[in-house]
Amino acid sequence: MEGDARCFCVALVTSSLVNPPVGGLDALAVLQEKDWGVVQLPASDYPDDVAALLLEEVAEQTEEFARNGYRLAILGARAGLAEALESRGIPPLPQLDPSTDDELREFLADGRE
Amino acid sequence: MPGVAFVAHCLLNQNAKVDGGARTAGIYSPLVEDLRARGWRIEQMPCPELAFTGLHRFWAVKEQLDTPAFRRHCRRIARAVASAMEVHAERGDDLVLVGLEGSPSMGVCVTSSDPEIGGRPTWPDGGTELAAGKGIYIEELEAELRERGFSLPPAMGVSHQLPDHDPAAERATLAELLGG
């Protein structure tokens, strides 16, 4: 392994935080500032059958990060995510539904700084 | 809302890259910032290679990945993504796709191809594996959409893996894709 610029930290992020409303919390800016990558969770406006297909892919990709020791966390809440992760044997992950930039910064930095 | 951009996984997560390929810590910001500044909704597609060949995979050309099993894997992902695209299409949303040029899976106009590559890997810098064409996942997504009566949305690829990468040209291409 030659290494590169990756941060080895991956957040599973609700679509509403990836695509916030005008004036909403800019989670991507904070995640970039704190050097985290993003796995986007299915948007809440997708039908359940579509979301289930996407959650299956999220869980499979998260499993690969988990088994390689990447730091993982969940931002926001997504119905069906816990079951999808559990089906892959992924233990419960630290989770935050952030309301402010500072709260998110503190959560992402916890244990790193 | 201007529309929905389905983007390559690694635009938001460089951790998914093959070892040695991550250009930033996490988010590849230039295009993400442009998409958001123009009001486009971002939808991240799964990385076809991450779960199939893993985080320890070698750099590979298309011929090495082009197996029935990988095609089935890509088609499964494509079904999920196409289902989401279909939701937006039925709503009348504009769609664009941002892949990854030079990728054997996510290339839109440039993939990696060399039928002679195989066995013990040797990857001299400046190799000639780049070739015109789509990656396997993009081909499977196009096929899945075609079966549903849709065509691939207007698309481009991030070019930061190409030797002649020009960030300004890349952003201009995105601006053109997004309609100026």
Side-chain angles (χ1 to χ4, degrees):
Chain A
M1 299 288 280
E2 64 186 63
D4 54 25
R6 78 187 57 207
C7 56
F8 298 96
C9 296
V10 180
L12 314 186
V13 184
T14 56
S15 189
S16 59
L17 286 170
V18 173
N19 299 293
V22 175
L25 171 62
D26 189 352
L28 285 191
V30 178
L31 286 157
Q32 184 172 356
E33 172 193 320
K34 305 304 287 185
D35 288 344
W36 281 69
V38 170
V39 172
Q40 184 176 358
L41 298 170
S44 59
D45 60 354
Y46 286 146
D48 289 346
D49 59 333
V50 174
L53 293 173
L54 295 167
L55 279 171
E56 183 181 349
E57 304 304 330
V58 166
E60 186 171 74
Q61 307 215 349
T62 303
E63 182 182 16
E64 176 64 7
F65 287 119
R67 76 183 191 90
N68 280 283
Y70 282 56
R71 189 174 178 202
L72 297 167
I74 299 169
L75 298 182
R78 210 308 163 188
L81 176 63
E83 293 80 1
L85 295 178
E86 186 179 7
S87 74
R88 296 281 177 172
I90 300 168
L93 302 175
Q95 185 166 5
L96 176 73
D97 194 358
S99 53
T100 67
D101 290 5
D102 286 342
E103 183 186 20
L104 178 54
R105 281 191 189 92
E106 185 176 350
F107 175 77
L108 296 175
D110 188 30
R112 292 181 75 191
E113 297 174 349
Chain B
M1 183 177 65
V4 183
F6 283 81
V7 305
H9 182 96
C10 54
L11 245 67
L12 292 179
N13 187 21
Q14 293 275 299
N15 292 289
K17 289 279 199 179
V18 65
D19 180 47
R23 302 301 177 96
T24 65
I27 298 169
Y28 180 72
S29 61
L31 297 193
V32 171
E33 288 171 0
D34 285 355
L35 286 165
R36 300 179 80 206
R38 292 164 182 271
W40 282 69
R41 170 170 163 171
I42 293 173
E43 289 294 334
Q44 180 190 42
M45 295 184 285
C47 171
E49 296 172 30
L50 171 61
F52 195 85
T53 49
L55 286 161
H56 292 271
R57 65 192 182 275
F58 282 118
W59 295 66
V61 295
K62 188 173 178 180
E63 286 81 357
Q64 292 171 294
L65 288 174
D66 199 352
T67 65
F70 187 64
R71 289 254 172 205
R72 283 193 291 273
H73 172 75
C74 285
R75 181 55 75 101
R76 190 191 74 193
I77 294 173
R79 281 193 200 100
V81 172
S83 295
M85 286 181 167
E86 196 169 0
V87 170
H88 292 289
E90 288 171 353
R91 291 178 188 162
D93 297 334
D94 289 332
L95 300 180
V96 298
L97 184 149
V98 180
L100 180 67
E101 300 302 20
S103 165
S105 302
M106 295 298 297
V108 174
C109 298
V110 182
T111 187
S112 296
S113 177
D114 185 344
E116 300 303 316
I117 292 287
R120 185 173 181 173
T122 56
W123 291 94
D125 289 343
T128 57
E129 76 275 12
L130 296 177
K134 296 182 175 70
I136 294 166
Y137 167 74
I138 297 296
E139 290 177 348
E140 291 298 317
L141 177 60
E142 188 170 32
E144 181 70 24
L145 288 168
R146 191 184 312 119
E147 289 177 13
R148 296 169 184 239
F150 298 98
S151 56
L152 195 68
M156 63 167 283
V158 176
S159 60
H160 65 209
Q161 287 193 170
L162 304 183
D164 58 351
H165 171 58
D166 179 342
E170 181 181 72
R171 297 178 81 164
T173 301
L174 177 65
E176 185 177 348
L177 181 73
L178 302 180

